[in-house]
Amino acid sequence: MFSPQQIMIFPLIFAAFFVSIQSQSINFTDCGSGNIKDLKVVPCTSDPCILLLGTKVTFEMLFTSQFDADSVNEVIKGIVRGKELPFPEKKKDPCDGYLTPTCPLKQGSEYVMAEHVEVKPFYPAIPIRVKYSLVDANEKVILCVEFGAKIIDPNPKKSRGRGRKPK
């Protein structure tokens, strides 16, 4: 049989396996900063990422700062049919617990940015490119990443269209 130590390790192995299948490094485009080493989206197990309406998504970016910055602002946009549209998301201060290590940023230092975003239930269910940027107080780009996503309604409503009445 199994010893108590072996029994206790099974939940840890299961939890590690579950987390590893819920996130993976995804394909992304560095849109100008040239310093992004990795991007993970949780949960995302496909390319493009499937984002379900009414859920929360975590973006985790590993990057190296190319310059010093005392303050940091985020810019989140969706690119639909080539047009950049701002996400109606309340802006967060990345220096308030989202950057590790925290601000100020130092040139040459490595950081992890972990951002939690709600996929609002009223967003349209469409394919989209997500563009996420961090900028300093002077709008100088600290990091910029784009990746493909598909917003999906997990509970699509049945068509309520008006049908023809039989004759």
Side-chain angles (χ1 to χ4, degrees):
M1 291 314 259
F2 297 105
S3 72
Q5 292 84 5
Q6 290 172 321
I7 292 172
M8 289 179 64
I9 201 157
F10 287 132
L12 295 174
I13 292 171
F14 177 76
F17 175 74
F18 183 75
V19 168
S20 71
I21 63 170
Q22 290 295 309
S23 73
Q24 62 184 17
S25 295
I26 64 167
N27 292 324
F28 65 90
T29 301
D30 185 312
C31 44
S33 58
N35 59 343
I36 300 170
K37 296 180 178 181
D38 192 28
L39 170 65
K40 291 182 181 176
V41 179
V42 180
C44 180
T45 57
S46 63
D47 188 14
C49 284
I50 302 300
L51 306 178
L52 299 178
L53 292 172
T55 63
K56 291 194 178 191
V57 178
T58 300
F59 304 109
E60 188 175 288
M61 293 153 276
L62 175 64
F63 71 98
T64 302
S65 183
Q66 295 179 325
F67 55 88
D68 293 348
D70 291 327
S71 64
V72 178
N73 298 305
E74 68 176 3
V75 180
I76 306 172
K77 295 182 178 180
I79 302 172
V80 180
R81 296 183 182 162
K83 188 169 192 153
E84 289 187 9
L85 305 168
F87 268 82
E89 183 74 22
K90 183 180 178 200
K91 302 294 187 240
K92 299 176 184 115
D93 180 358
C95 296
D96 192 21
Y98 300 97
L99 273 168
T100 306
T102 191
C103 298
L105 300 185
K106 297 293 178 197
Q107 181 178 0
S109 293
E110 194 168 271
Y111 295 87
V112 174
M113 174 67 188
E115 171 68 79
H116 312 285
V117 177
E118 182 181 357
V119 182
K120 306 278 188 199
F122 58 83
Y123 288 171
I126 57 172
I128 191 169
R129 287 209 48 88
V130 176
K131 183 176 182 179
Y132 185 91
S133 303
L134 293 180
V135 297
D136 71 2
N138 297 316
E139 302 290 317
K140 187 174 178 183
V141 175
I142 296 167
L143 74 79
C144 181
V145 64
E146 285 183 25
F147 64 93
K150 188 171 185 180
I151 300 174
I152 294 183
D153 186 348
N155 303 307
K157 296 175 184 160
K158 292 185 179 182
S159 174
R160 295 184 188 165
R162 295 182 189 183
R164 297 181 124 190
K165 292 182 181 181
K167 293 184 179 184

